[in-house]
Every structure is written in C-alpha cells, then in structure tokens.
Amino acid sequence: MSITQSLYHTFQRYRTLQTDLVKALPVVILMPHSACNCRCVMCDIWKDNKNLKQLTEEDITGLLDSLKRLGTQQVLMSGGEALLNPNFFRFCEILAQHKIKITLLSTGLTVQKHAEQLVEHVNDIIVSLDGDEALHNYIRNIPDAYQKLEAGIKQIKQLRPGFKISARTVIHKINFRNWPAIIDSASNLGLDGISFLPADISSHAFNREVLWSDQRQHEILPDKNELPELLSILETVISTYPAKFENGFIAESKDKLRKIYQYYAALHGLNPFPFKKCNAPWVSAVVEADGTVRPCFFHEAIGNIREHPLKNILNSDTAIRFRKELDMATNETCVKCVCYLHLSPGTKLN
C-alpha cells in the first residue's frame, strides 16, 4: 500500500467511526467450515458437526468487490476448523491476489499435514493451547492432540524458521491452575507468543442455540471460593514471567491479564465487569460458514452474503442503526464480552 493509499484508508476509517457509515473495513473474519475436529469441553461447535455448512469459492469471489472497495487488509480464517474446507487454499490464493493478508486460527491438529501449503499461502497462524500435554489432551477431548499440535509447529518451523505461529488460550475453571505450565509449554513448543482470554459462558456464540444452564456454566466458571486462588496464580504469572511481558511473548499487558480475574469475579457479582475499549462493529465483520454476516461474534446477524453484497449489508439501515444506537457501556452483550477488538484509524495491521 502506497503512502497515498494508506492516508486515504486512514481517513476512511476515521469517517467510519464518525458517521457510522462503513467506508473502510480493515479486518474480516471468515468461517470457511462450520465443523470442528476437536470436542472441547468449553465449546459447543463440534456438537453440530452433522449439520455441515461451508463457504464456497463463489462466496469468496463474491466478497472481493466489497473487500476491495472497503480496503480490507486482513482476513482471519476462523471456525470451526477452517482447514476442513477442501477449498481453503483456493480461498487463500484468491485473497492473496488482492494483497489481503491471511491469518489462520486453528486447532492445530492438521497443521503438520498442510504445513507446506500453509507457509506458502498463509501469513501467520494462531493455534489453540489449553494446558500442558495431559491437560490439553483432556480439554480438547482428542487423543494425542498435544502431540499433533507439537508436530505441526515443528514442521512449520523446519520449513520456514521465521514463520509466525502463536497460541491462544481460554482460561477457565479446568485449566487456571495450569497457567504457568501453559506458558512454559508455549515456549517449549517453539511458539512465538501466546495470548489469554476468559471463557464465554453467557452468550449464544460458539453454536449455542440455547443458553447454557447454571449447571453447565459452572463446569467452566471458576467457583466463587476459587477466585482467590485464581488471582494468586495470575499474580504469580505476572511476577514469574516479566521478560515475557516485556518482549511481547505474552500478548496482553499485565493490567489486561488481570481483567480475566475481574471478569470471573463480575459473574459472581463481586465487582463490575471490566471496561473494554472496542470498536469491532466499525472496523470488522464476521462472515459465517453459511454466509451469515454479524457485526462481531456475539451480536445478532445483519444479513447474508448469498443475498446481498457485504458492503450493502454493512451499510443497510439496520446495520447503521445498530452502530448508532450501540452503547457498549450498557449493552449486555458488550458488557459481558470476552473477545473484543479496538483499532484506531492509524493502527497498522501486521
């Protein structure tokens, strides 16, 4: 992108935030495939594997005009497991022709199998890591999940040592005591970094047609009497790994990491939910495996790319009104959100 194009894109991002009319869309999240190859204890996506939905090459080519007009710079391939779509690498080829960078979010189970194509067609990879070997396998509910993840990382690094592959960990009742071991595992696996977030237990996201019952929530939510231990372990992480915060291996700041405790404490009514600075509906959009478009993972659908172009959906009366009326400080979905995004107009994407 030239300096002129960069300045124009920054201006359009500024206009979007000021007017609620989407003129620039830096990030798009695509879900190429609805199914998942893990059976994680904190997620329900895999429970609907029989009702397969997936994006097609026609869907991706149909998106191009909107992505070009809105200056999209990065596509995150999420899911489900994106690599289950047999046309995944064709999608990457189409997007790369328009200089759109691609990040893959993956369970890591088939990274080794696809390693050569991944280093050719994807800019970076974020894998899921839930614990040390034994705990990761337990939470993923897949035999040898950790070993498969390890083999995939090793293969990627052998093919291209400088290729960025990092991890994301959901911290919850089952693994919070394993937090230091998770960081050590990330280092031992040869990952380039790791990020953390709390578990979403209160929304319809992640294929929850029916909200979790109290009993199901408490399988993942740390008990009230466990919160002091959670806070103690969190502070131990902060004091034990200062270099990993300083060099960015741990993606979050210390204060942001503390919000994981604050979030769980808020669910027990001990404090307000932590403040989140987010503008996701103004700078990104989610396209699900059946073409459904959402302003973010957690809010209601606003259209479908198989019926209308993405740029039209984002600037429909319904979508504009949603952005104008959205008060993140009071909206229940936003208040309880665990995965938020904030991009200022001048933020450059990697």
Side-chain angles (χ1 to χ4, degrees):
M1 183 181 291
S2 68
I3 294 177
T4 301
Q5 289 173 321
S6 179
L7 290 173
Y8 177 76
H9 182 72
T10 298
F11 174 66
Q12 295 294 64
R13 284 164 66 173
Y14 177 80
R15 288 184 64 194
T16 297
L17 295 174
Q18 294 298 309
T19 66
D20 298 303
L21 187 69
V22 175
K23 295 287 188 179
L25 191 71
V27 179
V28 171
I29 298 97
L30 299 182
M31 297 181 176
H33 201 276
S34 66
C36 189
N37 51 10
C38 282
R39 301 166 61 87
C40 299
V41 298
M42 66 287 188
C43 178
D44 291 343
I45 290 176
W46 58 272
K47 294 181 180 179
D48 198 42
N49 280 0
K50 61 182 181 297
N51 297 315
L52 174 63
K53 298 178 284 290
Q54 57 185 341
L55 295 176
T56 66
E57 184 172 338
E58 183 179 1
D59 291 328
I60 304 303
T61 55
L63 280 170
L64 286 178
D65 181 65
S66 293
L67 300 186
K68 288 163 63 178
R69 286 176 180 269
L70 297 173
T72 300
Q73 298 169 290
Q74 183 179 24
V75 163
L76 277 68
M77 297 288 199
S78 186
E81 173 54 63
L83 289 173
L84 292 176
N85 190 307
N87 294 312
F88 174 81
F89 292 106
R90 176 59 185 150
F91 298 168
C92 294
E93 289 175 348
I94 294 169
L95 295 169
Q97 289 172 1
H98 297 275
K99 302 186 185 307
I100 296 172
K101 294 182 178 180
I102 299 165
T103 295
L104 170 64
L105 309 181
S106 174
T107 64
L109 293 183
T110 61
V111 166
Q112 182 184 28
K113 175 183 176 182
H114 298 292
E116 291 188 4
Q117 290 171 293
L118 285 169
V119 297
E120 179 181 356
H121 295 291
V122 170
N123 295 92
D124 65 291
I125 301 172
I126 302 172
V127 295
S128 299
L129 179 63
D130 297 298
D132 57 18
E133 182 172 338
L135 188 56
H136 180 82
N137 290 344
Y138 172 79
I139 291 174
R140 292 277 127 183
N141 201 14
I142 295 292
D144 301 326
Y146 188 94
Q147 296 90 325
K148 292 175 181 177
L149 173 62
E150 183 176 28
I153 296 166
K154 182 178 180 180
Q155 185 69 15
I156 291 287
K157 290 297 186 178
Q158 285 180 342
L159 290 169
R160 188 175 299 174
F163 189 94
K164 184 179 179 181
I165 179 165
S166 57
R168 179 172 294 170
T169 300
V170 178
I171 293 292
H172 48 76
K173 179 184 180 71
I174 300 171
N175 68 355
F176 78 84
R177 294 178 178 87
N178 204 234
W179 206 333
I182 294 170
I183 297 171
D184 293 339
S185 294
S187 294
N188 295 336
L189 286 168
L191 290 164
D192 296 298
I194 189 167
S195 63
F196 299 97
L197 70 162
D200 170 58
I201 64 167
S202 60
S203 81
H204 281 286
F206 311 109
N207 197 41
R208 295 175 194 147
E209 293 185 7
V210 178
L211 292 177
W212 277 0
S213 66
D214 285 346
Q215 179 180 352
R216 179 70 175 99
Q217 289 184 22
H218 283 276
E219 293 174 7
I220 302 301
L221 171 66
D223 294 339
K224 187 175 181 179
N225 61 12
E226 292 177 310
L227 291 178
E229 185 181 6
L230 169 60
L231 181 58
S232 175
I233 291 171
L234 192 160
E235 293 297 336
T236 296
V237 165
I238 289 173
S239 63
T240 303
Y241 301 96
K244 293 191 183 299
F245 285 97
E246 292 172 8
N247 65 20
F249 184 86
I250 296 176
E252 289 77 19
S253 67
K254 298 173 184 178
D255 286 341
K256 189 172 182 180
L257 212 62
R258 290 186 174 105
K259 289 183 178 181
I260 295 177
Y261 164 80
Q262 294 165 12
Y263 167 79
Y264 285 129
L267 287 172
H268 286 287
L270 300 179
N271 54 245
F273 284 93
F275 170 76
K276 294 170 283 290
K277 192 174 184 181
C278 178
N279 58 9
W282 289 264
V283 300
S284 65
V286 175
V287 180
E288 297 182 345
D290 62 354
T292 296
V293 177
R294 298 180 186 274
C296 77
F297 283 108
F298 304 100
H299 282 286
E300 296 296 323
I302 54 175
N304 192 295
I305 61 168
R306 293 174 180 170
E307 298 171 2
H308 302 285
L310 179 62
K311 63 182 185 298
N312 293 5
I313 294 170
L314 296 177
N315 288 317
S316 66
D317 291 342
T318 298
I320 293 172
R321 183 169 59 252
F322 167 79
R323 289 189 291 272
K324 284 185 178 296
E325 296 177 356
L326 182 60
D327 181 357
M328 294 185 177
T330 59
N331 182 275
E332 185 176 1
T333 297
C334 293
V335 168
K336 294 183 178 181
C337 182
V338 300
C339 185
Y340 45 96
L341 172 70
H342 183 266
L343 293 177
S344 64
T347 303
K348 293 185 178 180
L349 303 178
N350 294 329

